[in-house]
Amino acid sequence: DFDHVLETLFNTSVDLDSLHPDSVLEEKWIKEVVTRSGMKFKWATLSERKERPNRDAQRRPLADPSVLVSRPPVVTIMGHVDHGKTTLLDSLRKSQIVSMEAGGITQHIGAFLVQVPTGEKITFLDTPGHSAFSSMRARGVNATDIIILVVAADDGVMNQTVESIQHAKRAEVPIIVAVNKCDKPQADPQRVKQELLAHDVVCEEFGGDVQAIHISALKGDNLPALTEATVALAEVLELKADPSGPVEGLVIESRTDKGKGPVTTAIVQRGTLKRGCFLVAGRCWAKVRFLYDDNGQVVTEAGPSAAVQVVGWKELPSAGETILEVESEQRAKEVVEWRTHEEEEQKLLEDQSAISLKHKLHLEEYQQKRAELSHLSWRMRKAALYQANKTRCATRPSERTQSEQPNLPLIIKGDVDGSVETLLNMLDTYDAQQQCQLEVVSFGIGDISEKDVTMAETFGGSIYGFNVAAARPVQQLAAKKGVPLRLHSVIYKLLEQLKEELSSKLPPLV
Ligand code: GDP
């Protein structure tokens, strides 16, 4: 009996979110409560989701150790501003060009490879301070095996030095200290190492295991010692990867190139990237047309720890995004479609949890009201509560106390951000002067979805779409649920219809 459920719910202050989504019975009742009271139902989408097959692409489980081969370390340079990170990267890169016979033209692709005289390779990421890169760092420096911490010997440990140490610790990435600017007369490398002790970075001479190399990035002094230390640490770390199977990697840089179109630099983490393969990253996909190395040379493949520029993206994925290879174009598109859908759903869930917060407040209010009415008989009290609930749901929270104004809940959809914003702006000004309140319960970009219809139904509102379509099943659903679906491609026509609808809600003039 619905009345009983409602009574129980409002009596016991049930946290809707805590009810188990698997319970069909509860779900049925709660749906009813939600629909009648204008609240939004949070886990309807979760249980629906369970029934859908997972169309996403994911990293593979760890490989069998027997197939693993050694790979070069991927190194990030971090440190305080002006301590010489850029200078160090430039010098390392230059040292490489000098040693290269062909002397190719270096391209800034976000990473470069250094080969030490003994043949080992090191991939350096050269995007410190890059905003997208910090988001990647925030995700755990997962692109990096070793951090070279640059500390200027004339300045010592500073804020960002400490931040870098904290980053490294959190991500469990080992540090090598490059004590820089040792060419300066006022340089005091010893002080730097002592200061580092306070941050649990214990250099070898103090009995710890952190290598500290005194360098001058500007003059190129002692850089070979730094690369040797890096190679030595990499050996200790026994860095290995599986060079076969579908590629896994990371986007470390992405931009639109005038000639090449959307390009990204990828660090390969697993598998071997080749021309012609299909990749997905975030909500973008690519058929790899070309691969370039940091000398601008076309390469045919790139194995673990290599950084290559990938050409062939249909849209530009963001730095920090995981790259996964899939078997076909169709699969790539499917994954992107799935993820787009998931993201929308996630957004919806977030919107809904905002609503569910509102709803909790609503419960409190309800209980208070209930207490006030405690002198009435059970039945009368319930009737009064119903009435209160109906009024509350039909008005904005701010107007709740004074107004019995008619109200029109709206769901606004548009083709692009701009059009939605324009509409919302117009509605704002319009709203202020009207007797009938507009309540935009949801807005967004894209075609009308079944979710929009459900939401409109829940709120008893209408859907207005500008330059968007509604698929036949969505139209049918709207018709079935009695949700007005108004699609326009001319703004003033849309507003005209809205005005009409608003007037129709007003009480007739006496
Ligand atoms: P970043 O902000 O950490 O990238 O620092 P930069 O590489 O831009 O260097 C900041 C300043 O310090 C520049 O003027 C560099 O020329 C100077 N610098 C960097 N490394 C050295 C060095 O080894 N010796 C000296 N004397 N100056 C350096």
Side-chain angles (χ1 to χ4, degrees), residues 77-91 128 150 152 154 179-185 215-221:
I77 294 185
M78 295 177 94
H80 194 69
V81 65
D82 277 346
H83 278 197
K85 298 179 292 292
T86 317
T87 313
L88 176 59
L89 283 163
D90 286 348
S91 301
V150 177
D154 60 339
V179 186
N180 192 29
K181 308 200 185 182
C182 287
D183 59 301
K184 283 193 159 183
I215 61 163
S216 164
L218 193 66
K219 305 207 157 156
D221 295 346

Side-chain angles (χ1 to χ4, degrees), residues 93 106-111 126-127 130 253 255 265 294 309:
R93 201 193 323 246
T106 49
Q107 306 264 317
H108 173 85
I109 64 164
D126 68 354
T127 45
H130 199 279
E253 201 174 275
R255 64 193 169 86
T265 298
D294 52 319
Q309 205 176 47

